[in-house]
Amino acid sequence: MAIVVGYLATPEGRAALETAAEEAQRRTERLVVVVSGRGDETDEQRRELDVALDGVRAELDARGVAHELRVLTRGRDVAEDLIGTAEEVRAALIVIGLRRRSPIGKLILGANAQRILLDAPCPVLAVKPAAT
């Protein structure tokens, strides 16, 4: 079993990664970090992602968290990537980051988050970054 986390180099992505790493340590489970790409990123965007992922690897190594990083560019959306990975690794938990929304935006949850919450094969923990 494993814990799956969707990661982007954003405050929401970092909050999800932090929470997922804490859960992986607490449960002594492997952490699978999923980064979904479209496949049309520029060379500069790929370099920035590589640098960000090097930082993620270093952080998880320093904490002693067993992990695997998956950069998926199959043209699927984030929800499909996370759900598919969770099914493949028989995940015990999926962790996702949520964005703060305007009062009107709070009436609807993001489409990817909603699909993950409804279709995931395991519990989903949705986190948001600390208020600044």
Side-chain angles (χ1 to χ4, degrees), residues 55 74 117 121:
R74 295 180 282 213
L117 289 168

Side-chain angles (χ1 to χ4, degrees), residues 87-99:
E87 290 170 344
E88 178 187 331
V89 301
R90 296 181 36 224
L93 179 70
I94 297 173
V95 181
I96 60 173
L98 293 180
R99 230 180 347 194

